[in-house]
């Protein structure tokens, strides 16, 4: 996964603009949203993985899958559909 910067919209969790390294590009639509929670059965010190996932359309026509780690708050790009 590639770390990215994200600006949030009026909904404080929804991505409004994405910076892939060359400046922010507006999100024109959220096509899908889902959550991933795995490893909840693990014993400390291991931690479960909890992520919010977004499939977004950008103003330049690209479709991206984004992930936000719920613990760190960090964003990353999982997939670029082109």
């Amino acid at each position: 996964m590639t770390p990215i910067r994200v600006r949030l919209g009026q909904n404080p969790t929804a991505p409004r603009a994405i910076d892939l390294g060359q400046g922010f590009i507006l999100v024109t639509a959220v096509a899908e949203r889902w959550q991933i929670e795995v490893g909840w059965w693990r014993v400390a010190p291991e931690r479960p993985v909890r992520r919010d996932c977004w499939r977004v359309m950008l103003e330049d026509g690209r479709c991206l899958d984004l992930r936000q780690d719920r613990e760190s708050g960090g964003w990353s790009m999982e997939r670029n559909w082109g």
Side-chain angles (χ1 to χ4, degrees):
M1 288 187 276
T2 305
I4 59 172
R5 293 187 318 153
V6 173
R7 287 186 182 153
L8 302 178
Q10 290 180 357
N11 174 348
T13 62
R16 186 180 130 236
I18 312 298
D19 181 3
L20 301 171
Q22 298 179 351
F24 281 94
I25 303 168
L26 290 178
V27 172
T28 57
V30 173
E32 196 171 352
R33 181 178 181 215
W34 66 99
Q35 295 180 335
I36 295 174
E37 291 194 30
V38 295
W40 49 265
W41 58 86
R42 294 182 180 151
V43 177
E46 292 188 41
R47 295 186 209 201
V49 173
R50 293 186 176 108
R51 295 184 183 132
D52 291 320
C53 306
W54 304 79
R55 180 161 294 155
V56 298
M57 300 297 297
L58 302 182
E59 69 178 344
D60 66 3
R62 287 184 285 177
C63 177
L64 306 178
D65 283 353
L66 309 177
R67 307 284 188 260
Q68 183 183 31
D69 183 277
R70 284 202 223 155
E71 282 208 22
S72 71
W75 287 84
S76 59
M77 181 180 66
E78 176 76 21
R79 183 173 293 141
N80 182 345
W81 293 97

